[in-house]
Amino acid sequence: METKLNTTDLMRGNWIDINGPVKVLEVRQISVIVEYEIEGKRKVSNVPIENIQPIPLSELWLEKLGFKYDEVFDRYYWYIPLHDLATEKLTFRVSEGFICFDGIKYRTLLKHVTFVHQAQNLMSALKQPLTFKISE
């Protein structure tokens, strides 16, 4: 089944599929600049958005993204360093397709994730410092 992507779904650093995995260097209005390797040489190409496909999220890709496998709970996890003593983490079970935020006293479903770029975008958003303005 073919899944249509929009440039608004993507960001720099995302992995997508164009006859194999390629890395997004730049997102444009109707295309993406991607980086890939052929015969040991780095190549860069401008590819129309209609020619790219998302990469299905698999156990192999979770490991590439930095998730670790927990045999006891049969799921992958990625720790979120909220503070020095943090135990909070993201967990993901491939068969369920949901990324959850697991804290000490709670578990919150964050997002249904099917593709590598979706997991990357969520991880990137969670790595950013929380900033806000206090209005007077």
Side-chain angles (χ1 to χ4, degrees):
M1 182 176 126
E2 202 169 291
T3 302
K4 183 161 175 59
L5 279 174
N6 294 310
T7 55
T8 56
D9 299 330
L10 300 172
M11 59 189 253
R12 180 182 173 90
N14 281 156
W15 284 94
I16 55 175
D17 182 34
I18 305 170
N19 298 321
V22 297
K23 189 174 187 177
V24 174
L25 294 179
E26 182 182 332
V27 180
R28 297 188 170 175
Q29 190 171 2
I30 59 171
S31 66
V32 291
I33 306 294
V34 297
E35 173 184 48
Y36 55 97
E37 198 172 292
I38 294 181
E39 298 174 2
K41 293 187 179 180
R42 180 181 179 260
K43 303 285 185 183
V44 176
S45 184
N46 187 10
V47 180
I49 193 71
E50 60 269 8
N51 294 347
I52 66 173
Q53 290 295 311
I55 298 172
L57 193 57
S58 64
E59 292 177 359
L60 176 66
W61 274 100
L62 284 169
E63 290 173 5
K64 286 181 179 185
L65 292 173
F67 278 73
K68 305 288 183 211
Y69 183 69
D70 184 328
E71 291 182 15
V72 174
F73 294 104
D74 185 32
R75 60 184 68 197
Y76 285 82
Y77 66 91
W78 177 66
Y79 278 102
I80 303 169
L82 299 176
H83 51 77
D84 290 341
L85 302 173
T87 59
E88 292 81 10
K89 60 185 180 276
L90 284 182
T91 61
F92 187 83
R93 187 176 286 155
V94 175
S95 61
E96 294 172 359
F98 288 96
I99 283 190
C100 296
F101 179 77
D102 285 331
I104 295 173
K105 298 179 182 176
Y106 50 85
R107 183 164 196 241
T108 306
L109 173 66
L110 287 178
K111 186 165 178 70
H112 184 261
V113 176
T114 311
F115 301 111
V116 171
H117 74 277
Q118 293 171 325
Q120 286 181 289
N121 293 349
L122 181 59
M123 291 170 72
S124 177
L126 290 169
K127 286 181 188 178
Q128 301 301 317
L130 297 174
T131 59
F132 57 91
K133 274 188 164 177
I134 300 174
S135 57
E136 296 180 21

